[in-house]
Amino acid sequence: MATTCAQAIKRWEAKSEGTPAAVATEMNLCNQSIAKLDSKALGTLKKCEKLSLSTNMIDKMIALPGMTELKILSLGRNNLKKIEKLEDVSGTLEQLWLSYNQIASLDGLSCLENLTTLYLSNNALSSLAELEKLKANKKLRDVLFIGNPFYAEVGSKEEARIQILKRLPNLKKIDGEFVKPSEIEAAQAPSET
């Protein structure tokens, strides 16, 4: 049976020794069988900086009005197919964790002006060309893309890292490993035609 966001928040409050959800800076609603997000219930989390909603059954992102402090949004291991409706947190969101979903496009991220970390491993990104959509995210430094179909397009993990760097030269970490000077050099080398 599915749990509502309001029910999950009430459970969190019951376990948090009387701390009201409205003043919590971290909210862990993982593994609660939440099927649908609810902007009214989530909008009460005014002080929340880290919202964890991983390992639920969520199939659609919603607007998050009222979450003016949100820096980290974790929606990994759900049923998301599309990144959308992040405008309400565009000025504060720094980390977006979306691994293990079915996301095939990087549309919906360009509004995130402070995004530094994007975890999108094990999704359905089939083309390196999708990475071009991340050029608007000037502060992006740490990405996880391993497990996406586009890795088959390039042949090896090493080549994938170089191709990612060619498109996103400001990255410091790819797939959990720091970018090496030799990779930066290879990414900057003129393409062979």
Side-chain angles (χ1 to χ4, degrees), residues 103-117:
I103 296 165
S105 167
L106 294 178
D107 292 331
L109 293 168
S110 62
C111 67
L112 300 177
E113 57 202 51
N114 290 308
L115 188 68
T116 61
T117 305

Side-chain angles (χ1 to χ4, degrees), residues 22-89:
V23 300
T25 57
E26 287 192 27
M27 179 69 49
N28 184 341
L29 304 177
C30 297
N31 206 16
Q32 301 265 342
S33 299
I34 298 169
K36 299 265 182 253
L37 294 177
D38 172 0
S39 58
K40 185 177 176 189
L42 294 174
T44 65
L45 308 177
K46 304 281 186 215
K47 299 291 182 190
C48 187
E49 294 178 14
K50 180 179 180 184
L51 177 59
S52 300
L53 289 157
S54 296
T55 317
N56 279 294
M57 303 176 302
I58 300 161
D59 62 357
K60 195 172 193 179
M61 295 174 80
I62 61 162
L64 297 169
M67 296 200 73
T68 57
E69 305 292 321
L70 191 64
K71 292 180 181 172
I72 302 170
L73 178 58
S74 174
L75 284 162
R77 296 186 184 276
N78 277 289
N79 300 315
L80 297 172
K81 292 175 181 60
K82 186 176 178 184
I83 302 168
E84 60 185 338
K85 301 187 179 172
L86 292 169
E87 292 79 10
D88 289 323
V89 294

